[in-house]
C-alpha cells in the first residue's frame, strides 16, 4: 500500500500536510504539483481533483481533496499522538473552532497579503493600487489581533499547553504572509514567541527545510506569458 500526497510546498496547506506526515514518521510518496507551472490544471491532475487544488491524498482507491480532512484522516489512520487532534470532545471542539475560523480568515488574509505585496508586483509586473495594499494590510492586522485575543491569549499554544493541528495550520498561514518580505509580526511579541515554540516543537530543521522555497519566492524568475494568462483570473479577483 502506498500513500500518495500531491503537494506544492509553496502552498501553506500542503506544507501543513507535509510537516505533519514527516513529524509523525508516516511513509508516503510526494508527487509534486507545480502551481507556478499550472500543473494543477493539467488533464491528468484534474482527473484526480476536478477542483484543481492541492493538497490531494490517495490511499489505494481512497481520495481526499481538502487539507483539513487530510490532516484529520492522517491523525486517525496512523494513530497520531492524541495532542494533535484530541479525543476529548471539548478540546477537540476548540481545535475545530480554530480550523473553521482560520480557513475563512487567517489563511485568506495571509494569502491575500502575499499576492498584494509580492506576487502581483513581482510576477505580473503590475502596480497594485495603494488603496488595495492598505486594505489588505488593515485586514491582516485585524485578523492577527483576533488570533491573539480570541485564540492564543496567554497560552503557550492556540488551544492550550500542547501543540495541536491548529498551531501547525496557523504557522503555515503566518509564514505565507511573512514570505512577502514584510515582517507582519515584528510588533507582535506574543505571536513571535508562539511561532518559536511551534517551530521548536515541530523541529527547527524540518521547518527550515520546508519553508526555504516559499521564503525565497521573491527571487524566483518572472512567469512566462502562458503562466500569466493562467493566473490572470486570480489577479483580477484581487484588483
Amino acid at each position: 500500500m502506498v500513500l500518495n500526497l500531491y503537494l506544492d510546498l509553496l502552498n501553506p496547506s500542503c506544507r501543513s500536510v507535509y510537516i505533519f506526515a514527516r513529524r509523525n514518521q508516516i511513509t508516503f510518496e510526494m508527487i509534486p504539483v507545480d502551481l507556478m507551472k499550472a500543473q494543477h490544471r493539467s488533464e491528468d491532475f484534474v482527473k484526480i481533483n476536478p477542483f484543481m487544488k492541492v493538497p490531494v491524498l490517495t490511499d489505494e482507491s481512497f481520495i481526499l481533496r481538502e487539507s483539513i480532512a487530510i490532516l484529520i484522516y492522517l491523525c486517525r489512520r496512523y494513530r497520531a499522538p492524541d495532542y494533535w487532534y484530541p479525543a476529548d470532545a471539548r478540546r477537540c471542539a476548540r481545535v475545530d473552532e480554530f480550523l473553521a475560523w482560520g480557513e475563512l480568515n487567517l489563511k485568506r488574509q495571509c494569502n491575500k497579503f502575499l499576492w498584494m505585496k509580492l506576487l502581483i508586483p513581482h510576477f505580473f509586473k503590475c502596480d497594485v493600487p495603494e488603496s488595495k495594499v492598505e486594505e489588505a494590510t488593515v485586514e491582516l492586522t485585524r485578523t492577527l489581533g483576533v488570533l491573539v485575543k480570541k485564540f492564543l491569549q496567554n497560552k503557550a499554544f492556540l488551544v492550550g499547553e500542547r501543540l495541536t493541528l491548529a498551531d501547525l495550520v496557523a504557522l503555515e498561514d503566518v509564514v505565507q504572509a511573512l514570505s512577502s518580505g514584510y515582517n507582519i509580526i515584528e510588533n507582535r511579541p506574543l505571536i513571535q514567541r508562539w511561532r518559536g515554540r511551534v517551530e521548536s516543537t515541530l523541529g527547527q530543521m524540518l521547518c527550515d527545510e520546508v519553508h526555504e522555497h516559499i521564503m525565497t519566492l521573491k527571487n524566483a524568475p518572472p512567469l512566462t506569458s502562458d503562466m500569466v494568462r493562467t493566473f490572470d483570473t486570480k489577479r483580477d479577483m484581487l484588483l
Side-chain angles (χ1 to χ4, degrees), residues 16-218:
S16 296
V17 170
Y18 180 88
I19 289 173
F20 180 86
R22 286 278 305 276
R23 184 68 178 78
N24 287 280
Q25 300 180 325
I26 297 170
T27 300
F28 66 95
E29 180 177 347
M30 176 175 166
I31 301 177
V33 180
D34 193 328
L35 298 177
M36 300 299 286
K37 295 181 179 178
Q39 290 179 355
H40 59 302
R41 296 174 179 268
S42 69
E43 183 178 349
D44 288 343
F45 185 76
V46 170
K47 290 178 182 177
I48 299 168
N49 188 1
F51 304 130
M52 296 182 288
K53 293 169 54 181
V54 286
V56 176
L57 172 151
T58 62
D59 190 357
E60 297 183 299
S61 61
F62 182 70
I63 302 175
L64 271 180
R65 303 178 177 93
E66 293 293 335
S67 60
I68 300 304
I70 290 170
L71 286 168
I72 294 172
Y73 174 77
L74 291 176
C75 276
R76 292 172 172 162
R77 174 81 166 79
Y78 294 94
R79 300 182 181 180
D82 182 70
Y83 60 80
W84 284 105
Y85 194 64
D88 177 80
R90 292 187 177 182
R91 290 175 58 214
C92 184
R94 290 300 183 200
V95 176
D96 289 337
E97 180 182 38
F98 172 81
L99 294 175
W101 175 84
E103 283 293 300
L104 295 176
N105 294 276
L106 185 63
K107 186 178 298 297
R108 177 177 296 176
Q109 299 307 334
C110 287
N111 197 49
K112 182 178 180 180
F113 187 82
L114 174 62
W115 273 85
M116 292 292 182
K117 285 289 193 178
L118 176 63
L119 298 185
I120 293 175
H122 179 70
F123 290 108
F124 290 89
K125 304 302 179 185
C126 174
D127 292 332
V128 179
E130 188 59 36
S131 61
K132 293 288 187 180
V133 176
E134 179 63 25
E135 176 186 300
T137 303
V138 169
E139 289 175 348
L140 179 56
T141 299
R142 181 169 57 245
T143 300
L144 291 174
V146 175
L147 178 68
V148 172
K149 293 176 184 178
K150 164 62 180 172
F151 295 100
L152 184 57
Q153 300 174 346
N154 61 351
K155 304 188 297 292
F157 297 99
L158 293 177
V159 176
E161 300 308 308
R162 297 293 303 273
L163 178 82
T164 68
L165 290 181
D167 298 284
L168 172 58
V169 171
L171 171 68
E172 294 313 310
D173 290 335
V174 170
V175 166
Q176 196 76 354
L178 288 171
S179 69
S180 67
Y182 294 85
N183 190 349
I184 49 95
I185 62 173
E186 183 177 13
N187 298 316
R188 295 187 176 275
L190 288 178
I191 297 182
Q192 289 183 47
R193 290 195 289 271
W194 162 81
R195 178 193 179 190
R197 283 191 293 270
V198 175
E199 290 189 342
S200 176
T201 304
L202 291 171
Q204 194 64 55
M205 289 183 62
L206 174 59
C207 289
D208 290 346
E209 171 201 331
V210 176
H211 295 160
E212 181 180 5
H213 192 27
I214 185 68
M215 295 304 288
T216 58
L217 183 60
K218 59 183 178 292

